Amino acid sequence: QVQVVESGGGLVQAGGSLRLSCAASGSIISINNMAWYRQAPGKQRELVADITSGSRTNYADSVKGRFTISRANAKNTVYLQMNNLKPEDTAVYYCKATAVVNSPYYSTLDYWGQGTQVTVSS
């Protein structure tokens, strides 16, 4: 059993900053990629940023230069520092961890958190 829990969302004015955190726990052997997605009302879920176990990063064009993803491998934790937030960044932000587990059998699976709301007012 693997749990993924996000925190750090909230309400902020345009131009402000927020830092999201996501921690994975449970029967984890290792974690490969970790990623942040977001879903705005009436829109499809989209990738915001992801990071490999070797800390190679990838960003959506809409957040490049404003958001920074990082991770603490020893803690199975990923962060998303969001600066210069815009109203169009308003969404529920989800964390995904691609984890190697050995229960009930050895496999690599994606685990999602429940999401955290980010609201940016203009």
Side-chain angles (χ1 to χ4, degrees):
Q1 190 78 354
V2 175
Q3 297 80 40
V4 176
V5 179
E6 304 102 335
S7 61
L11 172 65
V12 65
Q13 287 189 332
S17 298
L18 282 174
R19 188 190 194 216
L20 305 183
S21 299
C22 167
S25 61
S27 302
I28 298 170
I29 296 175
S30 63
I31 295 182
N32 298 336
N33 273 29
M34 299 190 82
W36 287 98
Y37 287 74
R38 66 186 180 187
Q39 187 167 19
K43 295 188 176 181
Q44 288 190 330
R45 190 172 297 189
E46 64 175 359
L47 175 68
V48 176
D50 61 17
I51 184 167
T52 68
S53 57
S55 294
R56 188 169 67 247
T57 59
N58 173 58
Y59 295 92
D61 287 343
S62 59
V63 307
K64 282 181 181 176
R66 300 188 297 122
F67 292 10
T68 302
I69 189 171
S70 60
R71 64 188 284 175
N73 288 335
K75 297 179 181 179
N76 290 337
T77 299
V78 65
Y79 307 97
L80 186 68
Q81 177 66 43
M82 305 184 293
N83 298 328
N84 190 22
L85 282 159
K86 303 176 180 181
E88 51 264 42
D89 295 317
T90 295
V92 178
Y93 283 70
Y94 297 91
C95 175
K96 184 182 78 172
T98 302
V100 179
V101 299
N102 61 3
S103 176
Y105 47 83
Y106 191 90
S107 57
T108 300
L109 299 171
D110 290 336
Y111 297 90
W112 291 85
Q114 80 290 349
T116 185
Q117 176 70 47
V118 171
T119 303
V120 184
S121 63
S122 57

